[in-house]
Amino acid sequence: DSNMIPEILGVFKAKNAVLSCLANESLVDTIKKSGLELTFINTGDDDAIDGNPLDVLQDLKDYDAIFIDGDANWYTVFNELNIVKKSNNEFPLVFICNNIFPNKRRDSYADPESIPSEFRQEYAKELPICYDGEIVNIIDEYYHACDENTPKNGVLTAIEDFLSENSHISIMKINFIDGITVLYPKTQINKKRLDIINKMLQGEKTEAISLSDKLIENSLLVSYINKYNEYGENFNKF
C-alpha cells in the first residue's frame, strides 16, 4: 500500500526527499502529498534535474529520504547507494524500486554502453526466459542480462553487496509495496520507530507516532537505566 510511505516518512521525521527517475505517477503523487521538500531527477516535472543520476547525486547533500528508480542493474544501484552514503552525514531512508522479477538477480540496461564493460552482463533485447514453468519473452524498452544469479548481477545482489560492506545499515523488513526495498541506519531510535510502524501495519492504534524524537530517546534511556541499575529501582514510576 503506497499510503504507508507518508506514514513511514512521518515516523522517521523526514523533511526532504530526492525522487530519482521515479516513474510510478501514483507513487509520486502520494509522496507529493506528504508535505516534504522534494528534489526531482529525471521525473518529467518542470523543475526536475536532468542527467545521469550517478552524476546528479554527486551534488545533492543531506536529504532525509531518497527513492531510487530507473536503470535496474547491479552497477547503477550499487554505485547510487555508495554515492548516497558519501553525500550524507547520516544515511537516509532509501527506497529502492525494481527489486522484483525479472530484476532481482538479472540486470536490465536502458543503454548498455553507459555501463563499463567489466560490469556489463551479456545482454539481449527480447529475452526468452523460464518463468513459472513456461518460456516467456521479456519485451520492453530495456536490454536484459542473458544469465541470472551470477555475481554483480541484479538489484537485490547490489543491495546485498552494499550491505555486506556497511554493517550499520539494514533492510526494513516491512512488505508494503511489492518490489520496493527500504534501507535505513541501524540505531536504537530507528528500532523504536520500526516498532511503531509494525504496530500501525497490524492495525493497532498507537500514540507513539506523535511522540517527538526527544521523548523516544528519553524512553530508551529509561529502559537502559532500568535494565542495568543495580538496585532494581523502576524509574518508569517517576
Side-chain angles (χ1 to χ4, degrees):
D1 183 358
S2 62
N3 290 323
M4 275 303 301
I5 287 182
E7 301 280 8
I8 292 172
L9 293 169
V11 171
F12 275 79
K13 304 294 190 278
K15 296 176 180 168
N16 50 68
V18 174
L19 277 58
S20 179
C21 306
L22 192 56
N24 186 320
E25 293 183 5
S26 175
L27 184 53
V28 172
D29 289 340
T30 298
I31 297 168
K32 286 180 177 179
K33 294 174 183 176
S34 64
L36 275 67
E37 179 183 340
L38 301 176
T39 300
F40 302 95
I41 304 174
N42 295 343
T43 56
D45 291 76
D46 292 338
D47 55 350
I49 304 170
D50 293 326
N52 188 326
L54 292 175
D55 297 325
V56 176
L57 286 173
Q58 302 275 1
D59 298 322
L60 300 180
K61 309 289 182 183
D62 295 328
Y63 38 85
D64 300 321
I66 180 170
F67 293 78
I68 295 176
D69 203 351
D71 232 12
N73 58 71
W74 184 92
Y75 176 82
T76 300
V77 174
F78 182 79
N79 282 283
E80 283 176 323
L81 289 173
N82 275 290
I83 293 170
V84 168
K85 183 183 75 169
K86 292 176 183 177
S87 299
N88 291 273
N89 292 324
E90 295 184 9
F91 192 78
L93 280 178
V94 180
F95 296 78
I96 305 170
C97 303
N98 296 315
N99 188 17
I100 193 173
F101 175 86
N103 296 126
K104 272 190 173 183
R105 302 293 185 185
R106 186 192 301 271
D107 277 358
S108 291
Y109 312 112
D111 176 14
E113 295 303 314
S114 69
I115 307 298
S117 58
E118 62 267 34
F119 299 106
R120 188 173 61 230
Q121 305 288 328
E122 182 182 355
Y123 61 87
K125 182 65 172 177
E126 296 183 9
L127 183 67
I129 64 171
C130 182
Y131 177 65
D132 200 21
E134 297 183 5
I135 299 297
V136 298
N137 282 329
I138 302 179
I139 303 175
D140 54 23
E141 67 269 32
Y142 295 98
Y143 298 84
H144 300 277
C146 296
D147 297 320
E148 62 179 340
N149 297 314
T150 57
K152 298 183 179 179
N153 190 4
V155 172
L156 182 57
T157 307
I159 294 170
E160 291 171 345
D161 290 348
F162 175 76
L163 293 177
S164 71
E165 298 177 0
N166 296 277
S167 58
H168 65 293
I169 300 169
S170 184
I171 288 179
M172 189 180 294
K173 293 180 171 61
I174 295 176
N175 298 320
F176 58 96
I177 301 182
D178 199 22
I180 293 185
T181 298
V182 187
L183 304 187
Y184 71 99
K186 291 190 288 188
T187 64
Q188 285 299 312
I189 194 167
N190 282 346
K191 182 179 178 181
K192 185 71 174 177
R193 288 166 171 161
L194 287 175
D195 289 341
I196 294 169
I197 293 169
N198 279 315
K199 288 180 179 179
M200 292 164 56
L201 285 171
Q202 294 166 12
E204 295 184 30
K205 292 184 177 180
T206 174
E207 296 178 358
I209 190 172
S210 64
L211 294 178
S212 68
D213 282 356
K214 179 58 67 177
L215 287 176
I216 293 177
E217 289 170 354
N218 288 344
S219 173
L220 291 169
L221 178 60
V222 168
S223 298
Y224 182 85
I225 293 172
N226 284 336
K227 182 176 179 181
Y228 290 104
N229 87 83
E230 59 182 310
Y231 300 106
E233 296 287 345
N234 187 335
F235 287 87
N236 284 315
K237 65 184 180 183
F238 296 106

